[in-house]
Amino acid sequence: MRGGLLFGCVMAAALTVVLAVGLITVIDGSRQQAMSGNVTELSCDAAIGPTRPGQAGSGEADAASLEGEQREIASLVIKIGKERGMSPRAWQIAIQAGMTESRLKNVHYGDRDSLGIFQMRPSMGWGTPEQVTNPQYQVNKFYDVLEEVPGWQHMRPGEAAQAVERSAFPDRYHEWEPMAVHLVQNVGEIRNVSGCGEARGDVVLASNSSAQRAIDFAMGERGKPYVWGATGPDSYDCSGLMLRAYEAAGITIPRVSRDQYKAGSMLPVEQAQPGDLLFWAYDTADPSTIHHVAMYLGNGKIVEAQQSGVPVHVRDVSWDEGGLVRQAVRPGV
């Protein structure tokens, strides 16, 4: 750690923690249900999953390679997060930070006087050497500082980890995003991947509750016919589906895709999160030529009303797909 205490279509919020041998089974890919009935409902602001197609499998493989101490610390991060009422997004941020700083090990060495899971520095006010090598103290301290970061709930998890850690290498926290999502979903025994809507198989977690409601609406319209100019409830065109999906989430966006492109914050398409809008244009450098919009679901999938003869459906998307505009849009932000 290098600093101080600054720290036109998808889907977590209950858990019980699996320890010891049970944890090994879960990380190895088992979807066993938790034995305890003590399930706690948490925030709808769930974890953000992998943002590039094909990442999900790497997360499972990375998690399977963790050893005993690493598994115990990942479990502790989730357990304390639950006890504090922190959303699964916070667990993911802490796991990514711990994996980056120490490989989720309680080490007694580091850069200058950095120590422990998160490489906290006593000289920078994080606590005494004894405290910053105590796992319970470290995890709680990380969460304390995270909660002081303005807007951490809406950052990409690696960016929030950097806001806490203040590293000289900010991009490195993103590397462990798929693994952290896998641990949140499996070690956390998430029954409902958003806390606000139904699980969607291998689709990752929505970035916030508004996006989740929009996703739930769009997914519920699957199978309805495409009709040019239609805005529901019996049929849709591409932008009509997006209009009604975000209307169901309490967010008003314009009617047509070219205007919807201007209806929120923009981010590189490779960083799109579930619920963000993706656009296609005849000339990707000219937004006035946009002709199609869809909603990103995570894990390289979208939901869309595509064309006549094709009902509302989910399909795979690739970032190098022809005509895909290089900016995604997050409505209501």
Side-chain angles (χ1 to χ4, degrees):
M1 183 183 301
R2 301 284 192 254
L5 294 181
L6 290 178
F7 235 23
C9 328
V10 61
M11 315 211 213
L15 82 158
T16 47
V17 177
V18 182
L19 296 171
V21 176
L23 176 58
I24 297 174
T25 303
V26 171
I27 291 180
D28 284 344
S30 172
R31 297 280 179 174
Q32 295 178 356
Q33 296 298 313
M35 299 301 293
S36 170
N38 297 324
V39 180
T40 302
E41 294 297 334
L42 298 178
S43 168
C44 292
D45 287 329
I48 298 177
T51 56
R52 287 180 173 79
Q55 278 189 308
S58 68
E60 182 174 358
D62 288 340
S65 71
L66 296 180
E67 299 177 349
E69 180 186 13
Q70 295 169 301
R71 295 182 177 120
E72 291 176 4
I73 288 174
S75 180
L76 181 67
V77 166
I78 292 172
K79 176 178 181 291
I80 293 176
K82 175 187 176 183
E83 292 171 348
R84 293 175 60 121
M86 304 284 287
S87 71
R89 184 194 306 275
W91 319 339
Q92 180 179 348
I93 293 166
I95 290 171
Q96 287 180 222
M99 192 65 186
T100 302
E101 294 293 339
S102 69
R103 293 299 188 266
L104 287 175
K105 295 182 179 180
N106 187 27
V107 296
H108 290 254
Y109 56 85
D111 177 58
R112 288 171 282 188
D113 61 332
S114 299
L115 297 168
I117 302 164
F118 303 105
Q119 291 289 276
M120 295 174 174
R121 295 182 59 191
S123 65
M124 301 301 294
W126 287 91
T128 66
E130 291 75 20
Q131 287 175 320
V132 301
T133 51
N134 178 295
Q136 290 271 351
Y137 176 91
Q138 294 174 72
V139 175
N140 277 292
K141 188 67 173 180
F142 184 93
Y143 283 142
D144 288 344
V145 179
L146 176 64
E147 289 184 302
E148 296 300 316
V149 175
W152 67 267
Q153 301 95 331
H154 307 295
M155 296 178 180
R156 187 175 176 184
E159 294 172 353
Q162 162 65 6
V164 176
E165 297 285 349
R166 303 293 290 177
S167 170
F169 306 97
D171 293 338
R172 61 187 184 145
Y173 298 102
H174 299 313
E175 176 183 354
W176 301 108
E177 189 174 78
M179 187 197 76
V181 171
H182 181 82
L183 293 174
V184 166
Q185 291 176 317
N186 290 274
V187 179
E189 288 290 330
I190 293 176
R191 180 184 61 192
N192 176 333
V193 296
S194 72
C196 313
E198 179 184 350
R200 303 295 184 189
D202 63 353
V203 174
V204 299
L205 314 177
S207 57
N208 57 63
S209 55
S210 294
Q212 182 60 55
R213 290 193 294 271
I215 289 162
D216 284 345
F217 181 93
M219 295 292 279
E221 302 306 283
R222 285 175 296 174
K224 292 187 176 180
Y226 175 99
V227 174
W228 186 84
T231 59
D234 299 320
S235 58
Y236 297 92
D237 67 7
C238 65
S239 56
L241 179 61
M242 302 302 103
L243 172 74
R244 296 307 180 203
Y246 267 96
E247 182 179 79
I251 295 174
T252 300
I253 61 175
R255 165 67 185 91
V256 300
S257 58
R258 293 175 189 175
D259 292 335
Q260 289 175 355
Y261 180 71
K262 306 171 186 176
S265 64
M266 292 184 181
L267 64 160
V269 69
E270 294 87 354
Q271 296 179 20
Q273 303 296 337
D276 292 346
L277 302 184
L278 307 186
F279 297 85
W280 284 257
Y282 298 113
D283 178 356
T284 58
D286 183 359
S288 70
T289 68
I290 287 173
H291 59 84
H292 184 57
V293 61
M295 184 179 291
Y296 187 57
L297 301 179
N299 277 355
K301 296 182 183 298
I302 56 173
V303 59
E304 65 179 355
Q306 188 177 37
Q307 62 188 43
S308 297
V310 180
V312 176
H313 64 280
V314 172
R315 71 170 175 90
D316 293 336
V317 67
S318 172
W319 300 139
D320 57 3
E321 184 170 305
L324 180 62
V325 177
R326 304 316 302 167
Q327 291 77 38
V329 170
R330 184 162 300 163
V333 179

